[in-house]
Amino acid sequence: MSTTLFDNRKSVIHRLNPVTKLIALLAIIVIVFAIPLWWVAGIIIVVIVVPAAVISGSGGRLLKLSLRILLPILLVLFIVQGLTFPGGTTVIWQWGIIDITSEGLLFALGVGSRIVVLVLASMLLVLTTHPGDLMSALSERGMSPKFAYIISSTLQLIPAFRVRADSILLAQQARGLSLKGSPFRRIKIMLPLLSPLVLGMFTDVEERSTAMEARAFGSTAKRTALIPVPDSTVQNVSRWVLIVLALAAVATPIVLGLL
Amino acid sequence: MSSTATTPADSKKTRNRIFIAVGTIIIVATYLYLVVGQPTDIAASSFSQSGLIAIAGYVIGAILLAVGAIHRLPTATVAMVPVAIALNIVVGQLVSVIGIPVYLDSIGTVLVSALAGPAAGVVTGILTNVIWGLTLSPIALPYAVVQVVIGVMAGYAARLGMFRLFYLAPVAGAVTGFVSAIVSAPISAFVFGGATGGGTGAIVGAFQAMGNSLLASTTLQGLLSDPLDKAIVFTIVVLILAALPSRFRQRFPFMRQYNVFGRKAPVLKDATAAAPTVES
């Protein structure tokens, strides 16, 4: 299992500056959460997210990954809010003591449409942007290199962690540890797994920090980028347009008196 | 080795303090606004701005805290944070697969807080959810502030000596869980409508059916699971601290200064004082 979901392709969306994509994602999230109408979220999915996914060529993976996250949430959301929404008065379907209210379903639609946009848009960013590119683009813009180090390093550590956990699990099974049983028994299984895993990983830290300090990691001098991330004037302008759009979306409901 | 990290940072110290203060104020203000402004909002059934305020306030607050905190960390701590984040994510995933009704996704955060203080805990906490959002599920991103709260609370619990006695740690954990349940409730309510998972969604529904508001229901649901979860996490951290080599523990100035783990080891203390790792 790979650590990142990055889908390595050569589309226009992949080649955009990561900061542009990040700002686009933030603007989309602000717009759908600022305007309290579910069809705004619908329009954004149809007009922006779906075409972008098709152009990037990662649409299939996006659909598969997002459905796995969204289906359980949406199912629970509609059932729970349809049945128990506190402001629900108009009963549209009744069976015994169970009644579904239209207010509850509308609430679920409002919240659900926004969750769909949030998940689809951020998944698309993750699929089309290599975390390393995002980190170097943000570091160029003044983010502390410590953030970049921590995030990139973690992404490399998680597979190492899994490999180590698997080998410890196999070793414990080899000496007769059974993985089946009641929840309480399964908690007990965690202990012989966790302690060698954690102690091993943390004792590695010491050597790493010495090596990093020897290469001036703690220095606060300004660094230059080894691989500059490509950017263009068009993207720079569109970033500002997106920011203005997001601010306009925040102001719209207040101006129109929707609240 | 740390002289490079501390001397030029003096000019930035005030700036970092401002970041931390503003971040804290924004998080507290967001929570108060959502709790106080909630009844009218639901009545008008335009809960929308609440969702935006919940996400924006908490995310901006958490980012400011992290930006203010990261400059304080020496290299030894920065090198440890990725391991702690990987621990959070791997154990959190493992537990969700095994099917135990707790999360256990903050062991690394609490461990780093105990070893290196609240600032390190804040950075570990927020980046855990950022990376979780980047790799497994974007649902984790809005909850970053909860891990930040856990990091801060665990750091101060360590300062107060809650990790010195093994039976005090679960108490500190339960208190942390109480606070994190209260902080996370507005996100569950206003961003996700109470539906963050099958089991939790059903519990929220049950509380709503009893006549509670959405926010009250998510708060009650959090109070059912979070204190227990954090009590277990804090206990695991005490066990890990006891198992870590004393030489490793004593490397951290925070650990030495506040005598987090209790056992005094004068010989070791002298040995580390002579080593070049000493903080100014």
Side-chain angles (χ1 to χ4, degrees):
Chain A
M1 190 173 163
S2 67
T3 355
T4 66
L5 299 168
F6 177 61
D7 194 16
N8 198 357
R9 287 172 201 267
K10 294 262 175 277
S11 77
V12 188
I13 308 280
H14 283 75
R15 274 183 278 126
L16 281 177
N17 187 299
V19 180
T20 312
K21 285 184 268 188
L22 188 66
I23 288 181
L25 169 69
L26 294 178
I28 285 175
I29 292 175
V30 167
I31 289 169
V32 294
F33 275 92
I35 303 177
L37 301 163
W38 64 268
W39 49 262
V40 172
I43 289 175
I44 284 184
I45 294 176
V46 174
V47 175
I48 300 171
V49 180
V50 171
V54 172
I55 294 169
S56 73
S58 306
R61 281 195 66 191
L62 174 70
L63 192 69
K64 217 174 75 187
L65 289 166
S66 309
L67 276 183
R68 213 167 54 199
I69 297 171
L70 284 171
L71 268 186
I73 291 180
L74 291 180
L75 209 65
V76 171
L77 181 69
F78 274 90
I79 293 173
V80 167
Q81 295 305 338
L83 290 175
T84 66
F85 185 62
T89 45
T90 328
V91 178
I92 52 169
W93 191 75
Q94 201 165 22
W95 185 72
I97 52 160
I98 297 170
D99 42 3
I100 294 178
T101 59
S102 56
E103 285 88 353
L105 289 182
L106 272 176
F107 179 82
L109 184 65
V111 173
S113 60
R114 281 188 230 135
I115 301 178
V116 171
V117 173
L118 177 76
V119 169
L120 283 180
S122 32
M123 270 294 175
L124 190 61
L125 172 81
V126 172
L127 281 171
T128 59
T129 313
H130 193 277
D133 291 341
L134 182 61
M135 288 303 116
S136 33
L138 286 175
S139 297
E140 272 179 36
R141 273 155 222 278
M143 186 183 71
S144 166
K146 286 176 181 171
F147 280 117
Y149 167 75
I150 292 173
I151 292 178
S152 313
S153 171
T154 308
L155 292 175
Q156 287 166 17
L157 265 176
I158 291 174
F161 231 99
R162 284 224 179 83
V163 171
R164 206 183 268 233
D166 282 344
S167 61
I168 293 169
L169 199 63
L170 286 175
Q172 300 285 20
Q173 277 177 293
R175 49 179 281 263
L177 182 81
S178 163
L179 293 182
K180 297 191 186 84
S182 63
F184 184 71
R185 241 201 73 76
R186 281 187 246 168
I187 296 173
K188 270 171 54 184
I189 295 170
M190 296 289 289
L191 289 177
L193 181 64
L194 224 88
S195 46
L197 182 68
V198 172
L199 298 186
M201 295 307 275
F202 273 91
T203 37
D204 285 354
V205 167
E206 201 160 352
E207 286 167 38
R208 203 172 303 134
S209 76
T210 317
M212 280 159 66
E213 201 48 70
R215 286 153 187 81
F217 181 80
S219 159
T220 44
K222 186 154 171 53
R223 273 89 157 178
T224 51
L226 176 63
I227 306 161
V229 183
D231 199 5
S232 64
T233 330
V234 181
Q235 288 192 52
N236 197 9
V237 172
S238 54
R239 281 196 290 267
W240 285 106
V241 172
L242 284 166
I243 292 171
V244 171
L245 275 178
L247 292 178
V250 174
T252 309
I254 299 163
V255 173
L256 293 181
L258 279 170
L259 282 180
Chain B
M1 78 184 232
S2 50
S3 56
T4 43
T6 44
T7 40
D10 268 356
S11 58
K12 288 184 175 172
K13 249 184 185 159
T14 357
R15 194 198 68 175
N16 293 336
R17 285 226 180 89
I18 292 169
F19 275 144
I20 291 175
V22 174
T24 315
I25 292 168
I26 289 178
I27 291 173
V28 173
T30 305
Y31 180 76
L32 288 179
Y33 174 83
L34 290 171
V35 172
V36 176
Q38 183 251 346
T40 52
D41 234 346
I42 282 287
S45 101
S46 59
F47 35 82
S48 165
Q49 296 295 58
S50 306
L52 181 68
I53 289 162
I55 287 197
Y58 276 169
V59 168
I60 293 171
I63 288 174
L64 284 177
L65 275 178
V67 169
I70 200 161
H71 292 282
R72 299 180 170 194
L73 306 185
T75 307
T77 311
V78 175
M80 182 175 63
V81 170
V83 179
I85 297 174
L87 185 67
N88 279 343
I89 293 178
V90 172
V91 176
Q93 278 294 107
L94 211 66
V95 164
S96 68
V97 170
I98 291 180
I100 312 169
V102 285
Y103 318 115
L104 302 191
D105 57 357
S106 49
I107 296 176
T109 312
V110 176
L111 187 57
V112 166
S113 293
L115 285 170
V122 165
V123 173
T124 312
I126 184 170
L127 291 180
T128 296
N129 280 37
V130 167
I131 292 168
W132 211 314
L134 283 176
T135 52
L136 294 162
S137 167
I139 300 295
L141 270 177
Y143 286 99
V145 71
V146 182
Q147 288 263 10
V148 167
V149 169
I150 295 169
V152 172
M153 298 274 299
Y156 283 101
R159 256 168 95 150
L160 290 173
M162 299 302 262
F163 290 96
R164 274 176 220 159
L165 295 166
F166 73 93
Y167 52 83
L168 279 180
V171 178
V175 174
T176 306
F178 182 81
V179 177
S180 68
I182 285 181
V183 171
S184 65
I187 313 170
S188 303
F190 299 125
V191 181
F192 296 108
T196 45
T200 54
I203 296 170
V204 169
F207 280 125
Q208 279 196 355
M210 289 175 206
N212 292 299
S213 72
L214 180 58
L215 182 64
S217 304
T218 52
T219 310
L220 288 169
Q221 182 273 318
L223 289 177
L224 275 185
S225 58
D226 277 29
L228 173 71
D229 176 57
K230 300 301 174 291
I232 296 173
V233 166
F234 275 57
T235 313
I236 293 174
V237 168
V238 167
L239 295 176
I240 294 175
L241 282 176
L244 278 173
S246 160
R247 187 175 60 102
F248 180 80
R249 272 189 262 134
Q250 295 297 325
R251 290 196 67 202
F252 295 95
F254 177 82
M255 194 88 188
R256 289 198 304 271
Q257 190 184 342
Y258 295 101
N259 194 19
V260 170
F261 199 58
R263 268 172 232 159
K264 294 217 171 186
V267 183
L268 272 170
K269 221 172 180 179
D270 290 347
T272 37
T277 49
V278 181
E279 203 59 12
S280 55

